[in-house]
Amino acid sequence: AVECLAMILERSQASRVTIARAGAVPYLVRLLGSGGRADVDTPPERAAAVLAELARLTESKLEIGHAGGLEPLVSMLGSSCWQAQTHAANALRHLSMVSGHKQRMVDLGAVPKLVGLLSSLAPGCLRTAAARHAASSLFELSTLSDAKARIYTHIDIHACTNAYMHTIHRLTRPL
């Protein structure tokens, strides 16, 4: 059922609104569990995919936070499953736009995990989307002085620059 929701929500704003208004968020947050045991096609991974889509809605951003979704999503950033990391980073990208969520995300340890997703971008890596979402989240979090200091502490500019340059080279080389 969660897999079907994920597929439907990717394509339709109206479906996102309907599912959110039906009260799905607390149930989806419960499916995340602690966020640490997310593998491909498991309920936590698929719930993160659905929450990432619902987090695009203003009203869902607040509801996900109130339902306790921040902690498992931040935890999922450290998962060994790159799909789960990508969905969690996508959800957190949207949730980081809410000023009330920012400090909580920082306190939960999101900054080093998001920076880690940036640094994990390697040649031929499938984590490009996760890195893009992580960069957006870090941008939003950088409005907090505390978060900005933590970003500077954890970021490896050399590794990020190399990953970025490799991606640009790969995208611009002739076929």
Side-chain angles (χ1 to χ4, degrees):
V2 180
E3 176 68 25
C4 290
L5 278 177
M7 292 180 356
I8 290 167
L9 296 181
E10 285 176 359
R11 294 171 181 81
S12 170
Q13 171 76 8
S15 295
R16 285 191 283 275
V17 171
T18 301
I19 297 300
R21 287 186 181 158
V25 168
Y27 299 103
L28 291 164
V29 167
R30 275 188 282 207
L31 284 174
L32 291 174
S34 68
R37 303 180 88 190
D39 292 316
V40 168
D41 294 329
T42 60
E45 184 262 337
R46 299 317 304 155
V50 173
L51 287 168
E53 291 299 324
L54 292 176
R56 296 167 67 177
L57 301 171
T58 302
E59 58 272 18
S60 291
K61 286 178 176 68
L62 294 172
E63 190 176 359
I64 291 167
H66 291 289
L70 293 174
E71 188 169 358
L73 288 167
V74 168
S75 179
M76 197 173 284
L77 293 173
S79 169
S80 61
C81 173
W82 67 266
Q83 295 93 331
Q85 290 176 334
T86 300
H87 299 312
N90 189 15
L92 291 169
R93 169 177 69 116
H94 296 293
L95 297 172
S96 68
M97 295 176 191
V98 177
S99 60
H101 292 336
K102 291 180 183 190
Q103 189 61 55
R104 180 78 176 128
M105 288 172 63
V106 170
D107 293 343
L108 289 169
V111 169
K113 291 177 181 181
L114 291 166
V115 169
L117 288 178
L118 285 179
S119 302
S120 71
L121 189 57
C125 186
L126 297 172
R127 298 178 185 202
T128 304
R132 188 177 70 246
H133 300 318
S136 295
S137 294
L138 289 167
F139 175 78
E140 290 294 333
L141 294 176
S142 71
T143 61
L144 298 175
S145 301
D146 181 36
K148 196 178 297 183
R150 291 181 194 205
I151 291 167
Y152 290 135
T153 300
H154 292 285
I155 200 158
D156 179 349
I157 295 295
H158 182 71
C160 290
T161 303
N162 283 342
Y164 174 76
M165 294 307 292
H166 183 283
T167 301
I168 295 298
H169 174 72
R170 198 177 76 220
L171 294 174
T172 58
R173 72 175 177 226
L175 295 175

